[in-house]
Amino acid sequence: MSTAAPRTVTIGVLTFRRPADLAALLPMLAEQAARAAATGHRAEVLVVDNDPAGSGRAVVAAAGCPVVRYVLEPEPGIAAARNRVLAEAHDRDVLVFIDDDERPRDDWLAQLLGTHRRTGAAAVAGAVVSDFSGPVDPWLVEGGFFVRRRLPTGTPIDVAATNNLLLDLRQLRPTGLRFDVAFGASGGEDTLFTRGIAQRGLTMVWCDEAVVTDVVPVDRATRSWVLRRAFSSGNSVSRVHLALAGSAAARLRVRLSCTGGGLPRLTAGLGRWALGAVTGSVRHRARGLRTAARGAGMVAGAAGHVYQEYGRPRPV
C-alpha cells in the first residue's frame, strides 16, 4: 500500500529545562527540515516548552533557525505538551515526534517519510540506540537495559513510543485521538495513544533505518533509575489496559489479568536474583531485580496505584 506524499511536515520536540540538549538538537532538526524541503515538502520544527517560566525561549532565539517555531505550554505534564503539538500541527499532513535529548542520523526524517510513503501507514516508528555520557556500570551492561527493540522495516506493530514516531495526521484527525492527561505525570501516555491507533484498525509499521541516538545522562545510568523505570513501566501497562477496557466487568478482568501477570514476574524475578546471588552472576541479579520491579508495578497498577514518574509540584 502507498499513500500520497505529504506536503506539510512538522517535527515536534518537547522540552523541559534542558537548554544544552535543546541547543544541540535544533541545528540538526533544522537541517532535517531543509533536506525535506529540497524534496518538495514544507517542513517546520516546532518546539513546545513545558516549563512555565519559558526557559527554552532564549535557546530557540539563540539558535537563529528560521524554520523553528516556539510555543509555551504551561500546563504541567508530558501529555499536555504532546496535545499542544497536535493542536499546533492541526492543519499539517504529517507530524514527527522526537525527544530533546535525542540526536537524529542524517537520513532519519527521509527514512521515516519513505517508509510512510511506501506503506501508507498511519504511524511509523523508528529505532532508538543509546549513548552514554559517562562510564557505564557493568550491572547495566549485563542487564542490557538500554538495548531497545529492532525490527525489519515494514514490520507491523501495535504499540510504539513517541520519542521517534511519525504520525499521518490525515488518517488520525478523524479519530479525535489525544494523549490522556491522566497519564501526564506517570508516563504511558504514548502507549495508550498508539494502542488507540491500533484499536481503531489503523496500520503502524517499523522503520529500522530511521535511527535516533538517546544521550543517556549520568543520573539515568544508575541501578535505581532502571528499577524505578521498570516499576513505572509495569504500572503503566496495567493502567493502559484498564483505560482501554470498556465496561466495569472488563475492567475487573483486566485487574485480575494484570495481577495474575505481575505476581509471577515478581516471584520469578526475585528467584532469578537469588540465583544470581548464589552463582555470582551479575546478569541474573540485574535482570531478576528488573523483572521483579516490573511485576510489582503491574500489581500496583491493577490495584489502582499511580506511580508519577514525571510528577512535579504545581506553582502556588
Side-chain angles (χ1 to χ4, degrees), residues 1 3 116 120-123 168-175 202-203:
M1 180 181 177
T3 189
H116 169 253
D168 185 336
L169 298 182
R170 297 167 299 185
Q171 296 185 55
L172 292 184
R173 201 170 285 121
T175 71
L202 298 175
T203 302

Side-chain angles (χ1 to χ4, degrees), residues 236-262:
S236 293
V237 164
S238 294
R239 294 182 60 233
V240 165
H241 285 304
L242 284 168
L244 292 173
S247 64
R251 289 174 64 82
L252 177 59
R253 288 193 295 270
V254 167
R255 292 187 191 279
L256 294 174
S257 174
C258 290
T259 300

